[in-house]
Amino acid sequence: MTDKPGRLVVVGTGINIAGQCTLMAKSRIETADHVFTLATPVIAEWLTTLNPKVSDLRTHYDYANGKDRLDSYRGMVADLVAAVRAGRNVVAAFYGHPGVFACVGHWAIEQLRGEGYEAWMEPGVSAEDCLVADLGLDPGARGCLSYEATHFMLYDCPMDASALLILWQIGIAGDHTRTTRFATPERLAVLVDLLSRAYPQSHEAIAYEAPVLTPFETARIDRFPLADLPKAQLTATTTLVIPPATGKTERPGMAETLAALIATEPAWPEATQA
Ligand SMILES: C[S@@+](CC[C@H](N)C(=O)[O-])C[C@H]1O[C@@H](n2cnc3c(N)ncnc32)[C@H](O)[C@@H]1O
């Protein structure tokens, strides 16, 4: 706790406007002195019905002039920090979960805490939460690797074809300059080449888009062979999902080591009492 006036709460609106915003987030938005948002136009519009004082952080983007998205994010953080320094109860409402593949909230919280202000994040429903439900894929069943698509391409990220792979921002894959809006077939072909080190090109890939407007829409779930990724229709809201391609290999000797330990452990109290 700090008695410095001004604070920041970073909340998520969920992906589907029809009810995925938590009651807590809604209440934060309604009672804020000022709300900043980074969300779809529909969500931004809906927020103004909860609180008339809404500023849209998307105005920081400037693709026409080749502005680096990192500079846009820094500008957004500066807006949030300035409003808190002015003593306001500020809410940043980002779509989905506000801290999942979304840096602005994390950066603003870190800076404000460093300056002695109260600042925290509350969880929301992310695109990953939606895809688990819509695709029936449990990340706990076989493990899950989750990467931003360009990050996955640029860095030597481990590949594990026995686990679920989720690639975020596939619609702008391969833009390490952070200045363009759409992935080209050529860049996607480079990604297919890379993935071919671990997956057969015939392996299934899924272009997934969660519904955003009503509970009656169905998700977009396009299944195609990995080799066809360069031809896939990808947008700013597409996530690429690659189901596991292989089984798991047991670590030699591990089951025996654990069994030997368990044999020496005391019985559970319930068992002793029974
Ligand atoms: C900057 S990240 C923001 C993620 C967001 N914070 C969340 O919690 O889901 C943007 C990426 O999220 C994913 N995404 C956003 N909306 C989506 C939707 N309606 N369906 C599927 N994926 C979505 C896409 O991979 C998109 O490129």
Side-chain angles (χ1 to χ4, degrees):
M1 282 291 281
T2 159
D3 46 15
K4 230 172 162 176
R7 71 170 200 198
L8 173 69
V9 189
V10 181
V11 302
T13 63
I15 295 290
N16 194 325
I17 193 175
Q20 285 183 355
C21 184
T22 65
L23 293 176
M24 235 162 104
K26 189 163 172 274
S27 158
R28 299 281 186 212
I29 292 161
E30 285 166 339
T31 56
D33 293 334
H34 201 96
V35 179
F36 289 87
T37 185
L38 187 56
T40 58
V42 178
I43 291 179
E45 180 68 31
W46 174 65
L47 291 176
T48 63
T49 67
L50 302 179
N51 188 324
K53 286 156 283 166
V54 175
S55 298
D56 193 338
L57 292 170
R58 282 174 307 157
T59 52
H60 284 279
Y61 290 128
D62 186 3
Y63 288 104
N65 291 306
K67 185 174 178 184
D68 187 326
R69 271 196 304 282
L70 277 186
D71 291 330
S72 306
Y73 298 151
R74 288 187 193 109
M76 296 175 196
V77 171
D79 280 2
L80 297 174
V81 168
V84 172
R85 283 182 188 147
R88 293 199 215 128
N89 161 17
V90 176
V91 164
F94 299 143
Y95 76 102
H97 184 303
V100 169
F101 290 86
C103 57
V104 174
H106 290 297
W107 291 356
I109 288 171
E110 191 182 343
Q111 179 164 345
L112 286 165
R113 284 184 181 167
E115 294 181 18
Y117 292 99
E118 262 194 296
W120 71 92
M121 182 180 287
E122 292 172 356
V125 175
S126 72
E128 181 172 344
D129 296 316
C130 298
L131 78 81
V132 164
D134 287 331
L135 299 179
L137 290 169
D138 181 348
R142 307 278 289 274
C144 178
L145 296 175
S146 186
Y147 291 105
E148 199 278 331
T150 303
H151 179 106
F152 178 80
M153 293 171 78
L154 268 183
Y155 299 100
D156 191 14
C157 299
M159 293 194 220
D160 176 2
S162 72
L164 177 65
L165 175 63
I166 301 176
L167 292 179
W168 300 69
Q169 301 205 135
I170 190 68
I172 49 173
D175 175 18
H176 67 302
T177 67
R178 298 173 300 267
T179 55
T180 66
R181 301 190 71 173
F182 306 105
T184 59
E186 291 75 17
R187 281 195 237 148
L188 293 167
V190 172
L191 176 57
V192 171
D193 259 8
L194 182 62
L195 287 166
S196 301
R197 295 181 193 174
Y199 300 88
Q201 294 219 356
S202 57
H203 186 63
E204 180 182 81
I206 306 169
Y208 169 76
E209 283 169 23
V212 295
L213 285 179
T214 74
F216 311 110
E217 287 166 82
T218 47
R220 179 183 158 227
I221 300 173
D222 281 354
R223 299 173 192 271
F224 47 84
L226 184 55
D228 288 351
L229 179 62
K231 293 188 278 182
Q233 187 203 328
L234 305 173
T235 73
T237 60
T238 312
T239 298
L240 188 73
V241 180
I242 305 190
T246 65
K248 296 279 185 201
T249 311
E250 272 194 26
R251 290 186 205 284
M254 181 57 81
E256 291 76 8
T257 302
L258 294 175
L261 281 175
I262 287 168
T264 65
E265 289 169 9
W268 288 98
E270 292 85 352
T272 324
Q273 282 160 16

